[in-house]
Every structure is written in structure tokens, then in C-alpha cells.
Amino acid sequence: EQPFESGNTVLEPGDALVIYSGGLAGGDLLTTESNRRLAALVRGAGSAQEMVDRLFTNAPDDTDTDQAALVLRCATLPAGGR
């Protein structure tokens, strides 16, 4: 069983939270190298949808592990918006 860690962070406008399964990283084991490779893929993307598209376009074909991604992008609120 994997240990569970919790934490907090503040997302600023333009920041994104990207959650993905091991299948997108190339197998069940997520490594620092696979995390860096996937971060490089989504860096500079113009939208959350573009991030997802880049992840799945570059996903390994030779894995039996599920491939799933969730991208949350922090938008800029209009002046006075909540």
C-alpha cells in the first residue's frame, strides 16, 4: 500500500494542477524522471484542454495500465469578481 501525504498550496492565475495515472507516465511506477517529462509536455500550453491533448498524444502505447488525466487551470477573475 502506498503512503498517503497531504498538503496545501495556493494556485495563482495561470497556474495548473495536473493529476495523472501511471499509464501516462509509462507504467505503474511514477518516478522523478517521468514527472519531469510530463511537466515538460504541458509547460507553455495555452489551455487545460491543450495540456490533456499533449499528455495523451505522447502517452506510451505499450502499457496495460489505465491512462487518465485531470487538469485544473486557475483562471483570472474579472475586476471585482469572486
Side-chain angles (χ1 to χ4, degrees):
E1 194 171 305
Q2 296 285 335
F4 176 79
E5 294 182 30
S6 65
N8 296 309
T9 191
V10 175
L11 296 178
E12 301 292 334
D15 288 348
L17 173 65
V18 181
I19 302 169
Y20 52 87
S21 67
L24 287 176
D28 290 324
L29 183 61
L30 298 176
T31 64
T32 300
E33 180 182 329
S34 65
N35 287 333
R36 286 183 181 147
R37 181 180 62 80
L38 294 174
L41 284 174
V42 300
R43 192 172 292 117
S47 68
Q49 183 62 57
E50 185 179 350
M51 290 180 191
V52 171
D53 292 344
R54 288 180 182 188
L55 289 171
F56 282 94
T57 298
N58 293 282
D61 293 329
D62 59 345
T63 181
D64 293 331
T65 306
D66 69 314
Q67 296 179 336
L70 172 67
V71 177
L72 303 173
R73 185 106 189 234
C74 188
T76 303
L77 293 175
R82 293 164 62 103

